[in-house]
Amino acid sequence: MADAAKTCVDAALAALSGYLRIPAISCDPERADDVRRLAGAVCADLRALGLDNARVIELPGALPVVAAEWLRQPGKPTVLIYGHMDLQPVKGEIWTSPPHEPTVRNGRLYARGAADDMGGWVSHLFAIKTWLELTGELPCNIKLILESEEEIGSPNLERYMDAAPEVFSSDAMVLTDCENPSTSIPGLTTSLRGILEATVTVSALTADIHSGLWGGMAPDVSTGLMTLVARLVDDDGRLREPRVAVPLSWQTPAWDVPLDTKVIREGAHLAPGVDPLPCRGHPPAEHLWRQPAITVLTTTLPTAERKKNALRQSASAILSVRVAPGQVDAVVKEAITRVLTTNTPGGAKVEVKWAAGESGAWLYSPQGPAFEAADRAYVRAWGRPLLQIGVGGSIPFVALFGRRFGDLPLILNGVIDPLTTAHGPDESLDIGVLSKVILTNVYLYAELGAALGSRRDP
Ligand SMILES: [Zn+2]
């Protein structure tokens, strides 16, 4: 089985390259035909692979999903595999080789979507193929769902869940769009930060006034806005409150993720001479994954074209707040609103308007037989168990699966590694990782099949 899984890597790369040549960019309405062409090609391949009921499902106003299944093991658990077929745009990016012409260099496959996320689910197709070719069956039941709107925030995925619940009903889910801390350390994503957005408007005057005649006596909304926003953060620029009391488990080696200065410097594109923010006695990963952060997205401060010697009537800014997993949105909003609206310069009027919607912060505790089974599969293929990691960003589909299926084991893994540059130029997939993940999946089906009962009708 292991030999077969290893030798199929070339075939997996060939299939993957075929998919990657289709520019299935979901945010571009002109590419909707490409998205559908890819969905059709994948569906035909799933059928040829030996999966049952391979189909393209379309809801009005949405891009399609592809679903297929293999449910011939009554009494065995059903494992749902989720991946996405769509791609981020490439406009304005400079690539070494064309983004939709897959190219192998130095052990990596370069193409938009190579790792995010085509490699993720193609690794499952070849694990399935290995089982079916060698034994004629799978060691558990499998359902496959491939979305094509992940890169635009999965706006219709919940509608698909409502319209076709049978596609999703399962005993465990493997969501293959996440990353590994390195090419030798496999990652299990267990938390996401959420995101909230607020528009802050400071108003003080009923007309612009002369800054020489009135400066120092009338409130300046520009410095007022900056002062109020600055009150939210400490000298490092980190949100002062609310902070999270991070559990002691963070001090154990299990959280000792490889996130050293070099990784941060490269990953964050720090300019020469600039250092990462000081960690103040906390692990770097805590600041990235488990604490909130705030960013100014836009302001209406006067621009060069509007330069004049005047105090302005009002100024506003849009703030983005990354909400830490475990934080309550209402508590975060209240604390920030209070700081911004208290003791304003000259009693200037400050309005804080929060955009609708929940932050989607997510915190998961991976416990039980499914995760023990996953660890056994990873130990066999990688020589070590999964390392629990967080993500500083927000992934709408994960928050959605967490909300709808949080009672099931959710295994968030993937083929992305720190050199992947997902969403950026020269996105790439480490071919060694692809090979290990195909093998991992081969073992994972067997381990899950043996470890879990069947709780639902397949
Ligand atoms: Zn993705």
Side-chain angles (χ1 to χ4, degrees):
M1 192 76 71
D3 288 345
K6 279 177 193 150
T7 52
C8 74
V9 174
D10 287 344
L13 283 174
L16 181 55
S17 298
Y19 300 144
L20 290 168
R21 287 193 185 94
I22 302 176
I25 297 167
S26 50
C27 70
D28 183 351
E30 294 191 355
R31 295 292 188 194
D33 286 347
D34 287 314
V35 174
R36 292 195 165 86
R37 183 157 61 95
L38 175 62
V42 171
C43 185
D45 288 351
L46 297 181
R47 211 168 285 138
L49 186 61
L51 294 179
D52 298 318
N53 209 8
R55 60 226 191 258
V56 177
I57 309 175
E58 289 234 26
L59 288 178
L63 291 170
V65 301
V66 172
E69 62 213 22
W70 190 95
L71 305 174
R72 302 188 201 177
Q73 290 277 28
K76 290 277 188 188
T78 300
V79 177
L80 177 105
I81 297 156
Y82 163 93
H84 69 85
M85 300 175 288
D86 59 321
L87 308 177
Q88 280 280 319
V90 294
K91 258 195 202 117
E93 294 178 357
I94 298 169
W95 284 61
T96 308
S97 48
H100 303 300
E101 187 46 59
T103 306
V104 173
R105 290 193 300 276
N106 303 322
R108 300 187 70 92
L109 177 72
Y110 289 83
R112 166 61 84 237
D116 175 18
D117 172 41
M118 299 254 205
W121 53 267
V122 166
S123 75
H124 281 281
L125 304 196
F126 282 81
I128 292 169
K129 189 177 161 72
T130 301
W131 270 103
L132 291 179
E133 280 183 357
L134 289 188
T135 70
E137 60 177 16
L138 292 170
C140 63
N141 297 300
I142 294 255
K143 289 182 177 178
L144 189 65
I145 169 83
L146 303 176
E147 192 198 358
S148 52
E149 294 186 319
E150 196 279 336
E151 299 294 7
I152 53 171
S154 303
N156 295 294
L157 187 57
E158 189 155 30
R159 283 174 63 212
Y160 280 110
M161 289 175 178
D162 290 333
E166 72 285 355
V167 168
F168 295 88
S169 71
S170 53
D171 298 294
M173 296 184 165
V174 180
L175 312 178
T176 69
D177 192 28
C178 293
E179 64 180 71
N180 302 295
S182 80
T183 55
S184 57
I185 304 176
L188 176 72
T189 298
T190 60
S191 71
L192 303 176
R193 289 196 291 198
I195 187 166
L196 293 173
E197 214 170 273
T199 305
V200 187
T201 305
V202 181
S203 321
L205 307 175
T206 55
D208 291 1
I209 54 171
H210 195 293
S211 58
L213 294 180
W214 293 107
M217 188 46 68
D220 172 20
V221 292
S222 300
T223 51
L225 177 67
M226 290 190 271
T227 305
L228 291 170
V229 171
R231 281 182 194 161
L232 293 171
V233 297
D234 63 18
D235 288 348
D236 295 329
R238 294 193 174 111
L239 189 68
R240 283 182 194 280
E241 62 165 333
R243 303 292 292 175
V244 175
V246 168
L248 273 179
S249 60
W250 270 82
Q251 308 306 328
T252 69
W255 286 103
D256 191 14
V257 292
L259 202 58
D260 59 21
T261 303
K262 183 170 173 288
V263 171
I264 298 169
R265 204 178 273 289
E266 278 178 16
H269 294 271
L270 299 186
V274 177
D275 295 320
L277 296 177
C279 285
R280 312 283 179 202
H282 296 260
E286 178 189 325
H287 291 294
L288 273 182
W289 302 337
R290 290 295 191 98
Q291 293 291 355
I294 188 159
T295 310
V296 177
L297 302 188
T298 67
T299 73
T300 62
L301 295 173
T303 53
E305 306 84 69
R306 293 171 55 217
K307 181 184 171 194
K308 62 176 179 178
N309 275 313
L311 302 179
R312 313 301 172 110
Q313 298 171 61
S314 67
S316 66
I318 296 179
L319 309 178
S320 141
V321 181
R322 297 289 173 175
V323 178
Q327 287 191 305
V328 176
D329 290 357
V331 172
V332 175
K333 288 180 184 177
E334 192 279 325
I336 290 174
T337 304
R338 180 167 32 80
V339 170
L340 290 171
T341 55
T342 304
N343 294 329
T344 65
K349 185 171 164 251
V350 177
E351 188 183 51
V352 182
K353 260 197 187 152
W354 291 93
E358 293 171 8
S359 73
W362 180 72
L363 182 60
Y364 187 73
S365 174
Q367 278 165 359
F371 294 97
E372 290 158 18
D375 272 343
R376 285 194 293 275
Y378 273 91
V379 167
R380 289 172 74 183
W382 293 62
R384 58 158 297 152
L386 288 154
L387 180 68
Q388 288 184 36
I389 59 170
V391 173
S394 314
I395 313 178
F397 89 82
V398 173
L400 174 61
F401 273 95
R403 180 158 54 75
R404 295 282 295 240
F405 305 107
D407 58 328
L408 294 182
L410 302 178
I411 301 170
L412 275 68
N413 60 358
V415 296
I416 298 171
D417 74 88
L419 294 182
T420 287
T421 62
H423 299 199
D426 285 348
E427 176 179 345
S428 65
L429 164 71
D430 184 288
I431 294 169
V433 167
L434 176 70
S435 172
K436 277 190 287 191
V437 172
I438 294 172
L439 183 58
T440 308
N441 294 337
V442 165
Y443 295 142
L444 182 63
Y445 306 154
E447 294 286 355
L448 289 173
L452 299 182
S454 168
R455 291 190 287 149
R456 302 181 179 219
D457 290 331

